[in-house]
Every structure is written in structure tokens, then in C-alpha cells.
């Protein structure tokens, strides 16, 4: 699926750069443009992608200090400038725009939903938000910001692909190592998802195309992605159990939003050498995903890729009713109260993911 990436805020810029590098290194050519947008000039200086500084008249290039209301205002005031920076990048080749942001900071959490709204107003193609939740140890302000931003982004985007920062961090990781590990995990999973509509090597029997990704995410709300791989036999017939095993691991232990399995729709992509992919294994794994998610709308297919391994990529859509989201919203609510802010009783509920703009 050919996309244009727009990173908003510090985390958004870094993850966007990482995604663009992964796509280039793998030769997928799914990323057709990458731009980082921020109100803090220092956060843009070391990025290897094009950048746009916003809000200079308001914050003089020093950022918004975690104030996501100010971040939203600055994005609204500078939306035309950002869209001008995209001129020529969003062409007829592009099939979607992905806005990438950490949902805890000020510019990302406030600006990303506002930018998604503007993009949806102008373009007919899907606009997705890849949103990263702060870890439990990242402070009350970031939790409260993310709770508000999560609900708003879920409304403004065609789908909010959510990443829980605690999902892929190692127990002994330093802060820097933890962020690097999360960035690498996001790049691999999301990068493969975007590339899965493009056959790189070989010819699969049932190759996934971009329309199946778009249709899986069409219902909106919150989505998540998981990935797992294992060594595979050269004989496809011996890989039935391998395919079901990596699918189980991707869904049960490696999703970007852990412990959120019930879904409205799902997509299973088995990546690897077409000669090693068992059709029986793919169909068995797809039916297992149906059973686990409770969804009757589970798509499945191949991603031909030169490798001795087989990998499963699982995308779930419509997971906003999960306990994991409820738990985070409760955490955000408590964090907002601890900041001394007056909290609307409905502000951090998860009934319908109401807009907070």
C-alpha cells in the first residue's frame, strides 16, 4: 500500500524516519513521501527526512511544553503551511496518508488529530493515525494527554492504529534503549503491513493487496498489529503447524495493544517464500483467528518474500471495546486528577470514544 507519512511531534518524527528507512532498506517502495512536523526546532535538526517547523510566532521554536491544547491550536493555525509542505508528495499513486505521533507529548497529542481532520477534509483517500501510548512510568501529564488525544484521534482518523509503549519494551531497557526497541518493532510491523500489497519476490497463490488492508480498517475506531516469525521447512506440507504457531504467537503475545483480541474485523498475512507457504496452514490459521476474535470478517493471504522463515502479520480492527483500552483510560483519568485538573466525568470514558475537541 503506497502511503505518505507525516510525523507530528518528537516521537512522531523519529518513528516516521524509522519507517521510511525500513521501507528503503527492504526495497518495498511503499513509502512515497515522509515529512516531520514539530513546534520544537531542536527535535527536527537531526532527522534525515524533510521537516516543517510550526508555531514560530507562538512558541519561537521551543515547543509547547506538553500543552496539547496549545499543540492543537498551533496545528490549526499552521495547517495551510503543513499542507503546502505536502505539495507534490500526495499524488494519485498514494493510497493513504498515515499521521504518526506519540500521544503523550503536546505537539503530537494535540496536533495529530487536528491534522488528520484537515487531511480528511481535503483528500478522499483514507487518513490513518499511528498513535503511540506513553508507558506507565512516563508521568501523569503524558497519561492525561494521551487519554484525551486517543479519543479525538479515533474520531478524526479513518482508523487509529494504537501502539502501547509498554508492549515491546524489555524489562532491563534504559529509556533510550526502550524507545529504540519500540521504534524498531513499529517499523517492522507497520512497514511489512504497508508493503504487503506489493509482491517483492515470487508469486503467491493468494497475495494480499492494499484494498484488503483498507477494507479491514474501514470500520474505523482503534486497530492494532502483531508479528511473529519462525524457521520454516523447504517443504510447504511440513509448515502447516509452523504457520498456525506463528499466528498464535503474533495474536496472543506480540500485538501492539496487548490483551485486546476481540475485534470487528481482522487481516492475517503470511509472509515468506511462496514455495514454503502451506495453503492448508494459512486457512487453518485464518479460521483460528476467527475463533479468537469473534469476527466473521477475517481476511487472509500471502506476502511473497525471499526468506528461510515464515512470518505472520495480524491486524485487528475495532478493538476499542477491549479491557486494555478501558484500563488505560482509567489510568489517564487518575493522572488528570492528580495534576489538579477538573475532570469531566465523561472525558475519559470509553463508551463511544467521543470527541474531545
Amino acid at each position: 500500500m503506497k502511503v505518505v507519512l507525516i510525523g507530528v511531534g518528537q516521537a512522531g518524527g523519529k518513528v516516521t524516519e524509522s519507517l521510511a528507512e525500513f521501507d528503503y532498506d527492504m526495497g518495498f517502495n511503499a513509502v512515497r513521501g515522509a515529512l516531520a512536523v514539530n513546534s520544537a526546532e531542536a527535535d527536527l535538526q537531526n532527522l534525515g527526512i524533510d521537516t516543517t517547523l510550526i508555531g514560530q510566532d507562538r512558541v519561537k521554536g521551543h515547543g509547547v511544553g506538553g500543552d496539547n491544547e496549545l499543540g492543537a491550536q498551533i496545528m490549526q493555525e499552521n495547517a495551510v503551511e503543513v499542507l503546502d509542505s505536502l505539495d507534490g508528495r500526495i499524488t494519485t499513486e498514494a493510497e493513504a496518508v498515515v499521521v504518526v505521533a506519540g500521544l503523550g507529548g503536546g505537539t503530537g497529542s494535540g496536533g495529530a488529530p487536528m491534522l488528520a481532520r484537515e487531511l480528511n477534509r481535503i483528500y478522499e483517500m483514507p487518513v490513518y493515525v499511528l498513535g503511540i501510548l506513553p508507558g506507565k512510568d512516563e508521568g501523569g501529564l503524558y497519561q492525561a494527554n494521551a487519554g484525551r488525544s486517543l479519543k479525538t484521534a479515533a474520531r478524526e482518523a479513518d482508523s487509529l492504529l494504537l501502539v502501547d509503549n509498554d508492549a515491546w519494551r524489555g524489562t532491563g531497557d534504559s529509556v533510550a534503549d526502550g524507545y529504540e526497541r519500540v521504534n524498531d518493532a513499529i517499523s517492522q510491523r507497520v512497514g511489512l503491513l504497508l508493503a504487503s500489497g506489493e509482491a517483492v519476490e515470487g508469486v503467491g497463490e493468494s497475495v494480499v493487496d492494499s484494498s484488503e488492508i483498507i477494507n479491514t480498517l474501514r470500520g474505523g475506531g482503534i486497530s492494532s498489529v502483531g508479528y511473529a516469525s519462525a524457521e520454516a521447512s523447504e517443504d510447504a506440507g511440513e509448515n502447516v503447524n509452523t504457520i498456525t504457531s506463528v499466528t498464535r504467537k503474533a495474536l496472543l503475545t506480540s500485538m501492539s495493544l496487548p490483551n485486546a483480541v476481540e475485534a470487528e474485523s481482522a487481516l492475517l498475512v503470511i509472509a515468506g517464500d511462496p514455495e514454503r507457504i502451506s495453503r492448508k496452514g494459512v486457512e487453518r490459521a485464518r479460521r483460528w483467528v476467527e475463533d479468537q476474535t469473534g469476527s466473521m470478517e477475517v481476511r487472509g493471504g500471502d506476502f511473497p518474500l525471499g526468506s528461510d522463515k515464515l512470518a505472520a502479520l495480524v491486524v485487528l480492527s475495532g478493538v476499542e471495546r477491549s479491557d486494555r483500552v478501558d484500563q488505560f483510560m482509567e489510568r489517564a483519568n487518575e493522572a488528570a486528577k492528580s495534576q489538579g485538573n477538573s475532570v469531566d466525568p465523561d472525558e475519559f470514558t470509553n463508551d463511544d470514544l467521543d470527541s474531545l475537541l
Side-chain angles (χ1 to χ4, degrees):
M1 185 163 72
K2 297 174 178 64
V3 302
V4 173
L5 304 175
I6 309 171
V8 182
Q10 183 184 41
K14 289 182 177 179
V15 173
T16 295
E17 180 184 49
S18 183
L19 274 166
E21 288 177 351
F22 178 84
D23 181 77
Y24 178 81
D25 291 342
M26 295 296 291
F28 290 148
N29 201 29
V31 175
R32 294 308 175 96
L35 175 71
V37 180
N38 207 332
S39 61
E41 187 173 12
D43 292 336
L44 296 174
Q45 290 177 344
N46 295 322
L47 294 177
I49 56 177
D50 291 337
T51 63
T52 295
L53 180 65
I54 59 173
Q56 296 181 68
D57 56 332
R58 298 283 296 272
V59 296
K60 312 301 181 186
H62 298 302
V64 299
D67 185 340
N68 67 345
E69 290 186 9
L70 179 56
Q73 292 169 12
I74 286 176
M75 182 60 76
Q76 187 173 31
E77 293 165 2
N78 292 262
V80 172
E81 181 181 349
V82 175
L83 294 171
D84 285 346
S85 298
L86 293 170
D87 189 35
R89 302 172 193 274
I90 303 180
T91 66
T92 54
E93 277 192 331
E95 297 168 287
V97 181
V98 182
V99 179
V100 185
L103 299 185
T107 304
S109 67
M114 184 63 70
L115 180 58
R117 171 194 279 187
E118 290 300 309
L119 290 166
N120 255 326
R121 186 176 60 83
I122 294 171
Y123 296 103
E124 293 185 2
M125 70 185 69
V127 177
Y128 304 122
V129 170
L130 171 57
I132 304 152
L133 294 176
K136 293 179 181 178
D137 59 349
E138 290 189 49
L141 174 63
Y142 298 101
Q143 312 296 325
N145 279 350
R148 298 185 180 99
S149 184
L150 184 158
K151 296 184 74 172
T152 308
R155 187 200 69 174
E156 301 297 346
D158 288 284
S159 183
L160 168 60
L161 180 57
L162 205 56
V163 176
D164 188 333
N165 222 341
D166 290 327
W168 298 322
R169 287 170 67 177
T171 52
D173 282 346
S174 66
V175 173
D177 289 343
Y179 287 144
E180 185 176 355
R181 185 192 297 270
V182 171
N183 286 356
D184 289 344
I186 294 171
S187 298
Q188 183 184 54
R189 287 155 174 79
V190 178
L192 284 172
L193 172 63
L194 299 178
S196 62
E198 302 292 327
V200 176
E201 292 185 30
V203 179
E205 289 189 36
S206 179
V207 177
V208 171
D209 63 27
S210 58
S211 67
E212 290 173 280
I213 300 171
I214 291 170
N215 287 331
T216 299
L217 300 176
R218 191 180 299 280
I222 296 174
S223 54
S224 63
V225 60
Y227 169 88
S229 66
E231 295 290 338
S233 168
E234 293 183 4
D235 182 356
E238 295 181 9
N239 290 328
V240 174
N241 289 337
T242 302
I243 290 172
T244 54
S245 175
V246 292
T247 301
R248 288 175 61 88
K249 185 176 180 181
L251 181 63
L252 299 181
T253 68
S254 186
M255 297 301 293
S256 62
L257 190 65
N259 305 320
V261 174
E262 185 179 346
E264 295 294 325
S265 59
L267 173 66
L268 170 64
V269 180
I270 301 299
D273 183 343
E275 298 297 322
R276 300 177 187 234
I277 297 176
S278 162
R279 299 258 45 85
K280 180 180 178 181
V282 174
E283 182 55 27
R284 180 182 292 180
R286 192 193 65 78
R287 290 198 303 267
W288 179 82
V289 173
E290 280 186 348
D291 292 339
Q292 294 296 307
T293 61
S295 171
M296 296 304 293
E297 190 181 338
V298 178
R299 299 171 176 85
D302 309 344
F303 178 23
L305 195 61
S307 175
D308 294 336
K309 294 183 176 182
L310 288 178
L313 187 72
V314 177
V315 180
L316 303 182
S317 180
V319 298
E320 58 270 9
R321 294 176 180 82
S322 71
D323 290 342
R324 185 74 170 199
V325 175
D326 284 337
Q327 290 164 8
F328 179 79
M329 297 304 286
E330 289 174 9
R331 196 166 86 209
N333 185 27
E334 292 303 313
K337 291 178 180 177
S338 72
Q339 296 289 307
N341 299 329
S342 58
V343 178
D344 186 324
D346 296 326
E347 190 170 22
F348 294 98
T349 59
N350 183 25
D351 291 335
D352 298 307
L353 288 171
D354 310 304
S355 167
L356 293 179
L357 278 179

